[in-house]
Amino acid sequence: MKEIWTTMASMMGVWAFCQSLLHTVFPPELRFASLKFFHRLFNYFSSYCYYDITEIDGVNTNELYNAVQLYLSSSASISGSRLSLTRGLNSSSITFGLSNNDRLVDSYKGVTVEWEHVVTQRQTQTFSWRPLPEEKRGFTLRVRKKNKQLVLNSYLDFVMEKANELRRKNQDRLLYTNSRGGSLDSRGHPWESVPFKHPSTFDTLAMDPAKKAEIMADLLDFANGESFYQKTGRAWKRGYLLYGPPGTGKSSMIAAMANYLGYDIYDLELTEVNTNSELRKLLMKTSSKSIIVIEDIDCSINLTNRNKNAGGGGGSSGNSGSRKNSYDVAAPPGANGGEDGVNTITLSGLLNFTDGLWSCCGSERIFVFTTNHIEKLDPALLRSGRMDMHIHMSYCTFPSLKILLKNYLGYEESDLKQEVVDELKGVIEEAEMTPADISEVLIKNRRDKSKAVDELLEALKIKAEKNRIKPRVIRNGSNEVEDEEQEKRALDSPKEGSDQLQENCNQCDDKEGRAIENDDDEKMH
């Protein structure tokens, strides 16, 4: 036993001597160069090349790593023998992924590539401004050298696009609104967001089916038209103007568009924006594949028709400077913008927002404006290229009524008596009731379907009779305006009457001033 220990001690001494001699003859630099040489020699004769994609690039998260992880969670990874299951924040589905140090073979255009998820323990950090995860994660991509250009030029871009599609499919859509006064949130963004859960779709939208099919086809052509817009040199954006009486489903149309395309919604409140530069910054912070909405633009910003104001804009130079710019935002009381506490957004700034150079900062955006009075908007805002498609949201028609009856009562046209159908057809156009008014009648009586139909028919008849006998007032020898519609418009825009009154007063003052000047001139002559 003693001889064994003596032999082992001698061998350890010889090993230590050889190790010290090796360190003396072959310094670390030479050993490193030798390993590097043999590694290059191995790679030269190898038919494969390798690419490492780490989770963290310096101090920032590697977006390519996240894209690869999401791409490998598609149906191709379900065939693997060992998978990890995850469910992300604001996600509505469970995704699959590679387990630690597992491999997966993928195919692209006939080329086979191999992915490996490499997970190793990170060395203990002594001090760091930003603590790193305990595990070092990354993907290793192995491809044949002859397929190197295909992978670098198109395969990785394909992985990114596929990951974006999966992310939009799995992640809940968001509804954004701009912060008050242009303030930033904790991440430095001027937009605040909440999950978008609106259930409206084109199937439930009370609208003429032919018009809905036209809108859906236009939206689909836009979403699939990247190559067309690049070929024609146009920015990949489109504008829609929704106009019509209140309660005709303009907001529901916007929600249906977002659900149909899978886009996020940015609800822009113009009265919270002080200057044109702030408007541009808000546009720069919007993402692609989004719908930018400005609702009731005729109420939030004064964009009256310049042709109508041309005749009444004359006056002395002394009075013109004190008048309010007809294209400035109608600022709410207490707003802090501009020099005198008034917002200074101009018509030019809004036009540049929708159709200028800054509108091209991003792609696949849809601009939607809504208004109750299209005649009040300036023609420059309505032309093609800014508002490409004008959609009139009208009163409820019989095709729209059939959709509402199906949504709220589950009734098809065949479920109703023929005489009831004939009565509904004969009275619906003349009644001029909005889908919102009809929906309220159906909601109140949804537990008793026959009663709901009877009350709806009675309400339509009463409304149609009122429209027949209602006295009409002719003003200025022009169009006839109903008293009820005047009251509704006054309630919708209470400021409009006061602004018009102030404008009339200014015009009267101008006329009186001109009369006094003419009298003075006559006396002098």
Side-chain angles (χ1 to χ4, degrees):
M1 190 67 182
K2 184 177 180 181
E3 294 178 355
I4 296 176
W5 285 108
T6 303
T7 304
M8 291 182 62
S10 300
M11 293 178 63
M12 292 177 64
V14 173
W15 171 253
F17 174 74
C18 294
Q19 189 176 13
S20 61
L21 182 63
L22 183 65
H23 280 270
T24 303
V25 178
F26 298 100
E29 294 81 3
L30 182 60
R31 294 199 305 272
F32 177 76
S34 301
L35 292 174
K36 188 175 181 180
F37 171 76
F38 284 112
H39 182 70
R40 288 185 176 179
L41 186 64
F42 173 78
N43 290 337
Y44 178 78
F45 288 102
S46 175
S47 60
Y48 292 94
C49 55
Y50 300 83
Y51 300 97
D52 293 328
I53 302 173
T54 57
E55 180 182 13
I56 298 177
D57 182 16
V59 296
N60 299 320
T61 302
N62 191 351
E63 292 296 332
L64 183 57
Y65 172 87
N66 295 332
V68 171
Q69 189 176 38
L70 190 57
Y71 169 74
L72 296 180
S73 68
S74 60
S75 58
S77 65
I78 299 178
S79 60
S81 59
R82 186 175 181 178
L83 304 172
S84 61
L85 306 180
T86 57
R87 182 171 182 174
L89 184 65
N90 291 332
S91 178
S92 58
S93 63
I94 297 176
T95 58
F96 303 86
L98 282 175
S99 298
N100 297 346
N101 302 315
D102 202 357
R103 296 171 183 262
L104 175 67
V105 176
D106 188 25
S107 179
Y108 174 73
K109 292 184 178 180
V111 174
T112 301
V113 299
E114 183 182 83
W115 290 98
E116 181 181 3
H117 192 204
V118 181
V119 180
T120 57
Q121 291 293 326
R122 193 183 300 274
Q123 297 181 355
T124 305
Q125 304 177 65
T126 56
F127 176 78
S128 176
W129 291 104
R130 179 186 178 186
L132 297 176
E134 296 180 357
E135 295 180 335
K136 184 178 180 180
R137 299 173 177 270
F139 287 100
T140 299
L141 174 62
R142 191 185 77 161
V143 298
R144 291 187 177 273
K145 290 183 178 180
K146 62 180 181 180
N147 302 323
K148 177 180 177 180
Q149 295 300 324
L150 175 65
V151 171
L152 294 179
N153 294 336
S154 62
Y155 177 64
L156 294 179
D157 292 336
F158 168 76
V159 170
M160 292 290 292
E161 293 177 2
K162 191 70 175 180
N164 290 332
E165 292 178 5
L166 292 171
R167 186 178 293 110
R168 288 192 300 270
K169 180 180 178 181
N170 297 333
Q171 189 174 9
D172 291 339
R173 284 170 293 281
L174 297 177
L175 174 62
Y176 294 87
T177 184
N178 51 309
S179 304
R180 182 175 180 83
S183 59
L184 305 179
D185 62 5
S186 58
R187 299 173 298 169
H189 292 174
W191 295 96
E192 301 173 357
S193 64
V194 294
F196 181 69
K197 300 289 187 179
H198 203 292
S200 177
T201 63
F202 279 105
D203 292 333
T204 62
L205 191 64
M207 193 177 186
D208 182 54
K211 186 180 294 185
K212 283 198 296 186
E214 179 184 357
I215 297 171
M216 294 169 65
D218 188 79
L219 290 171
L220 197 60
D221 289 341
F222 168 78
N224 299 328
E226 180 178 9
S227 59
F228 169 78
Y229 282 90
Q230 290 181 351
K231 181 180 66 176
T232 56
R234 291 173 60 95
W236 194 8
K237 63 181 182 62
R238 192 155 180 82
Y240 294 86
L241 176 68
L242 310 182
Y243 67 98
T248 51
K250 292 185 285 293
S251 298
S252 297
M253 168 65 76
I254 297 172
M257 295 168 67
N259 290 328
Y260 181 66
L261 296 177
Y263 287 6
D264 293 333
I265 295 180
Y266 288 85
D267 186 13
L268 178 60
E269 181 58 52
L270 283 180
T271 56
E272 298 295 342
V273 185
N274 295 328
T275 61
N276 292 336
S277 61
E278 286 187 13
L279 193 62
R280 289 194 296 267
K281 292 177 182 178
L282 285 171
L283 179 64
M284 293 172 61
K285 291 295 183 179
T286 59
S287 62
S288 299
K289 296 184 180 295
S290 59
I291 300 177
I292 302 173
V293 180
I294 302 180
E295 291 194 279
D296 297 325
I297 189 174
D298 57 305
C299 298
S300 59
I301 189 170
N302 187 12
L303 295 179
T304 54
N305 193 328
R306 283 176 292 180
N307 295 332
K308 294 182 180 180
N309 293 336
S316 61
S317 59
N319 293 334
S320 62
S322 61
R323 290 182 182 177
K324 183 180 177 181
N325 189 340
S326 62
Y327 311 120
D328 287 350
V329 170
N336 295 323
E339 297 180 356
D340 300 327
V342 178
N343 290 20
T344 58
I345 298 177
T346 61
L347 175 64
S348 175
L350 187 62
L351 296 181
N352 288 330
F353 176 81
T354 57
D355 191 33
L357 292 175
W358 290 97
S359 66
C360 306
C361 299
S363 61
E364 202 168 351
R365 288 196 183 100
I366 292 178
F367 293 87
V368 178
F369 290 177
T370 70
T371 179
N372 296 335
H373 313 291
I374 188 175
E375 70 278 359
K376 295 183 179 180
L377 300 183
D378 193 281
L381 188 64
L382 304 179
R383 72 163 177 82
S384 298
R386 289 167 183 153
M387 295 295 107
D388 303 287
M389 191 173 187
H390 296 186
I391 303 174
H392 182 215
M393 309 296 292
S394 61
Y395 292 107
C396 193
T397 60
F398 185 71
S400 304
L401 180 60
K402 290 194 298 183
I403 297 175
L404 292 176
L405 291 174
K406 181 179 179 180
N407 292 342
Y408 292 99
L409 304 181
Y411 272 175
E412 299 287 350
E413 184 177 357
S414 59
D415 297 329
L416 299 175
K417 297 180 181 180
Q418 187 60 40
E419 55 269 19
V420 176
V421 173
D422 295 338
E423 287 183 314
L424 290 174
K425 286 183 179 179
V427 76
I428 185 66
E429 298 288 345
E430 195 174 3
E432 293 186 352
M433 288 184 67
T434 64
D437 295 333
I438 294 178
S439 299
E440 184 59 29
V441 177
L442 298 178
I443 289 175
K444 288 191 304 182
N445 304 282
R446 63 184 182 276
R447 293 182 180 85
D448 191 344
K449 299 181 180 181
S450 60
K451 180 181 178 182
V453 174
D454 294 339
E455 286 202 11
L456 175 61
L457 184 57
E458 185 66 22
L460 290 172
K461 290 180 179 179
I462 295 174
K463 188 68 165 56
E465 185 65 23
K466 286 183 178 180
N467 290 338
R468 293 191 198 102
I469 65 176
K470 184 179 299 182
R472 298 177 180 271
V473 180
I474 301 178
R475 291 187 177 180
N476 299 327
S478 59
N479 296 333
E480 297 179 351
V481 182
E482 300 181 4
D483 294 337
E484 184 178 350
E485 185 65 21
Q486 289 180 354
E487 295 176 3
K488 185 181 296 184
R489 291 185 180 182
L491 292 174
D492 290 339
S493 53
K495 292 183 180 180
E496 184 180 336
S498 59
D499 293 342
Q500 185 66 30
L501 180 60
Q502 182 65 33
E503 184 177 354
N504 293 337
C505 293
N506 292 336
Q507 293 178 359
C508 292
D509 293 341
D510 292 341
K511 292 179 179 179
E512 292 178 359
R514 295 194 199 100
I516 294 174
E517 291 177 0
N518 293 334
D519 292 341
D520 293 340
D521 292 339
E522 291 177 358
K523 290 179 180 179
M524 292 177 63
H525 289 292

